[in-house]
Amino acid sequence: MKDVKALFALAPTAPVIGMAIAPQQAATNSNLSFLFVAYTLTWVAFFGYIVYMSRKQQALRRDIDALKKQLEDKQKSASLPGTGR
Amino acid sequence: MNLSLRTGLLGLAGVMMLITLYMAFLWVPNEATMGAVQRIMYFHVPIAIIGFVAAGAVFVASIAYLIRPSEKWDAIAYASAEVGVLFISLMLLTGTLWGKATWGIWWDWSPRLTTSLIMWFLYVAYLMLRAYAPKGVRGARYAAVLGIFAMIDVPLVYMSTTWWRDVHPQLLVGPAAPEGALDPTMRTALLFAMLTFLVLYIALTVERYYLRRAEEETERMQLSYEGR
Amino acid sequence: MKAYLSAIFTILWKDFLLEVRTKEVVTPILVFVFLVIITFNFAFEPTPALLAVVSAGTLWVSFTFAGVLGLNRTFAMEKEKGGLDGLLLTPVSRDALYFGKLLSAFFFMLAIEFVMLPVFGILFNLPLFLPSLWLLTVLTTLGFAAVGTVFSAMAVNMRAREVLLPVLFFPIVLPVIIAAVESTSAIFAGAGAGRAEDWSEFARWLQLTAAFDAVFLVVSAALFQFVVQE
């Protein structure tokens, strides 16, 4: 069971997340592009998902409207004698 | 859940996300060994944990569905799986970026990474099953069976890969520093980020749930109309 | 209990007779496994050092492919002829049906593997009979068939089932395959060095495989009824 616990433990095989240092000192570290890409990707993915859902919703609304219209047409033709089947 | 509550939940997730961003970039100090790039953690770790939460929700809803079949449980499982795949994909992507930046490699076949990848395959398979299985109760039952299998499989994969890595020499990369305690501000920021992604997960799953129910309802109406 | 066992045996016997008369599973898959092994041989340009590394993987990849093909075929055959509906109409418990189909899948795969193991030994210059490897094969095949029976019963009702079965089934069965490959490597390394079999070396892999088998058997047996329910 220890294995399973380790699976859920914090921070993946990560190099140690350690002590804080003064910000100006760390400005020497580059690699900022990775940071940028990671955050951008996450945002784009979540926005993309929301857009995907709203598009699905629009398609659904169109389907329902079409269905309503068909139903109305049928009722109309049924109420007019001679024109309906 | 009514519409204004759902919109409110999404809005709350948005506001919390802004606070998380503020905390992750401006409030917490830099990390000593990894520098600024370590700030990926405030997205990566919460996303990973919420990915597991989503998988757990699929598991629970699947069991509930098999015990007492209802469209509600089925739709919860479906919604959670779809949002879960999104989270697991992002966990892998942000993880590889963090890995490249700090260890110098995109990927190593450590048990945790391997297990994450297999987990991704499992839930993608779940969505594929949803697409290709017959519609209606039969498809829902199949999905529930896979949802249960998938969750049970994750610890098994982890166990087998851990044992496997015991046998092989392991690639040693990254600073082999002793385990340090998390700085208190970092801890607060991380916990808040986790809460943010939890709210986001719930908001997205609820949206997907209602969308799914509406889709099924429309499909039923179309069928009954054509059947007349 | 006696009726239960005889139901299981009847299903097994039915599948056996069907196979003897149609010859649709074992023979073609035997040839297929042979071909996969040969193809790997070409792909790797085998030198003795390389063989030691890749032989275990080659063996289990070809067995896994063969297993999926077999599973696909057995349930598809039932479906085409309406046999599955017939089985479901009989007053046999779903468990008995599951264990019957499981055992038939298990024995078919085992038959193929037991023919191929010596052939593999010849091609890769390994001892023709390694008791530990045969025991491991039995254990792995049991876990494979346990999950495979559930998934092929599902896949048979899906679109694109030939492709979908492996996609659904491989990630699930992966722990068993990993354990099999690793213990086979240990066995081959021992055999390649000309040592007598050292059981303690891979005993824990056997234990792990057995544990996976137990988990998969319990879960699959519990869930199979939902798969065949109308």
Side-chain angles (χ1 to χ4, degrees):
Chain A
M1 272 300 96
K2 219 179 109 222
D3 293 342
V4 182
K5 248 187 226 155
L7 175 62
F8 289 93
L10 211 63
T13 37
V16 179
I17 301 149
M19 298 115 265
I21 52 161
Q24 63 268 28
Q25 206 178 328
T28 48
N29 192 303
S30 56
N31 273 343
L32 278 179
S33 53
F34 287 104
L35 189 62
F36 171 76
V37 174
Y39 275 78
T40 312
L41 260 180
T42 311
W43 277 85
V44 167
F46 281 121
F47 271 109
Y49 189 63
I50 290 172
V51 169
Y52 159 79
M53 278 205 286
S54 67
R55 287 184 74 116
K56 267 191 116 112
Q57 204 149 23
Q58 278 166 9
L60 205 60
R61 199 158 289 153
R62 269 198 302 276
D63 281 353
I64 293 174
D65 286 345
L67 212 58
K68 266 189 190 153
K69 203 160 167 287
Q70 276 177 320
L71 213 61
E72 271 167 21
D73 289 351
K74 203 163 197 179
Q75 270 167 353
K76 243 182 243 163
S77 61
S79 63
L80 290 174
T83 49
R85 277 191 293 166
Chain B
M1 219 184 275
N2 66 37
L3 197 63
S4 59
L5 200 62
R6 278 158 57 190
T7 321
L9 205 58
L10 261 180
L12 178 66
V15 172
M16 286 176 81
M17 193 65 94
L18 287 179
I19 300 174
T20 302
L21 279 179
Y22 170 77
M23 283 175 136
F25 282 104
L26 301 172
W27 190 61
V28 293
N30 246 329
E31 207 272 338
T33 45
M34 284 179 275
V37 79
Q38 181 267 344
R39 288 166 203 267
I40 291 180
M41 177 185 81
Y42 303 104
F43 266 32
H44 174 74
V45 173
I47 284 173
I49 288 173
I50 302 302
F52 277 105
V53 170
V58 176
F59 180 63
V60 172
S62 297
I63 291 178
Y65 179 83
L66 289 185
I67 293 172
R68 188 159 298 174
S70 93
E71 265 182 25
K72 283 185 185 166
W73 289 121
D74 182 50
I76 291 175
Y78 182 90
S80 190
E82 201 175 286
V83 179
V85 166
L86 182 66
F87 273 87
I88 298 169
S89 310
L90 281 173
M91 155 172 91
L92 291 171
L93 286 172
T94 52
T96 45
L97 284 165
W98 192 4
K100 181 70 183 169
T102 55
W103 308 331
I105 49 167
W106 295 108
W107 188 263
D108 79 53
W109 288 97
S110 70
R112 217 190 287 242
L113 267 64
T114 313
T115 310
S116 310
L117 185 61
I118 299 304
M119 193 172 160
W120 185 81
F121 274 114
L122 283 168
Y123 288 93
V124 167
Y126 181 92
L127 293 184
M128 289 187 71
L129 183 145
R130 288 290 193 165
Y132 290 91
K135 294 237 181 296
V137 277
R138 190 179 247 175
R141 263 200 310 261
Y142 287 3
V145 168
L146 182 59
I148 293 170
F149 256 115
M151 192 70 212
I152 292 170
D153 214 47
V154 171
L156 296 188
V157 174
Y158 187 73
M159 261 150 63
S160 63
T161 43
T162 310
W163 285 36
W164 159 39
R165 280 300 154 192
D166 276 356
V167 182
H168 289 247
Q170 196 150 9
L171 192 63
L172 256 182
V173 275
E179 198 150 346
L182 213 56
D183 182 272
T185 47
M186 285 180 174
R187 180 195 294 275
T188 312
L190 190 61
L191 284 177
F192 188 81
M194 241 174 255
L195 203 62
T196 304
F197 281 102
L198 184 64
V199 173
L200 182 64
Y201 159 73
I202 294 172
L204 289 177
T205 309
V206 167
E207 284 303 319
R208 190 67 187 92
Y209 168 80
Y210 282 105
L211 187 59
R212 171 85 180 170
R213 295 294 301 272
E215 277 169 3
E216 282 174 340
E217 189 63 35
T218 316
E219 207 161 295
R220 240 197 316 275
M221 279 173 1
Q222 275 166 339
L223 280 178
S224 75
Y225 178 82
E226 280 155 15
R228 258 195 295 183
Chain C
M1 192 64 205
K2 195 156 171 267
Y4 188 78
L5 287 180
S6 86
I8 293 177
F9 182 76
T10 310
I11 293 167
L12 191 58
W13 183 244
K14 169 197 84 75
D15 281 355
F16 176 73
L17 274 186
L18 200 67
E19 177 54 26
V20 168
R21 288 182 191 159
T22 60
K23 299 182 185 61
E24 282 192 19
V25 180
V26 173
T27 326
I29 290 179
L30 261 180
V31 179
F32 172 75
V33 175
F34 201 2
L35 270 174
V36 172
I37 293 174
I38 301 286
T39 313
F40 267 115
N41 237 29
F42 286 127
F44 290 134
E45 195 63 46
T47 58
L50 194 60
L51 272 188
V53 181
V54 298
S55 50
T58 307
L59 185 69
W60 284 105
V61 168
S62 43
F63 282 176
T64 308
F65 284 176
V68 169
L69 270 184
L71 285 169
N72 247 332
R73 193 62 218 136
T74 44
F75 269 89
M77 219 148 71
E78 294 274 19
K79 180 85 179 166
E80 280 162 16
K81 308 276 157 60
L84 201 58
D85 296 329
L87 277 178
L88 289 171
L89 284 174
T90 54
V92 169
S93 80
R94 299 287 180 257
D95 291 351
L97 184 60
Y98 170 69
F99 284 113
K101 292 307 280 183
L102 158 65
L103 283 179
S104 80
F106 174 66
F107 284 125
F108 281 139
M109 269 189 76
L110 218 54
I112 294 166
E113 287 163 349
F114 281 0
V115 174
M116 287 320 291
L117 280 175
V119 175
F120 189 82
I122 292 170
L123 289 174
F124 284 78
N125 273 321
L126 290 159
L128 298 193
F129 180 70
L130 289 161
S132 48
L133 181 59
W134 288 55
L135 177 64
L136 176 76
T137 306
V138 171
L139 281 179
T140 307
T141 309
L142 184 62
F144 196 93
V147 193
T149 306
V150 175
F151 279 84
S152 54
M154 290 205 281
V156 80
N157 284 315
M158 293 183 203
R159 291 183 288 130
R161 60 169 177 243
E162 289 84 1
V163 189
L164 213 56
L165 179 61
V167 169
L168 300 179
F169 171 57
F170 278 173
I172 300 276
V173 85
L174 199 70
V176 179
I177 305 292
I178 293 174
V181 171
E182 288 312 311
S183 30
T184 308
S185 298
I187 294 168
F188 283 170
R195 270 180 284 146
E197 277 181 274
D198 178 10
W199 287 81
S200 64
E201 229 180 80
F202 51 89
R204 64 175 194 159
W205 285 109
L206 286 180
Q207 282 167 9
L208 190 70
T209 313
F212 288 162
D213 283 357
V215 173
F216 281 153
L217 266 174
V218 170
V219 177
S220 307
L223 293 178
F224 185 74
Q225 49 168 321
F226 297 108
V227 172
V228 290
Q229 196 180 333
E230 271 314 305

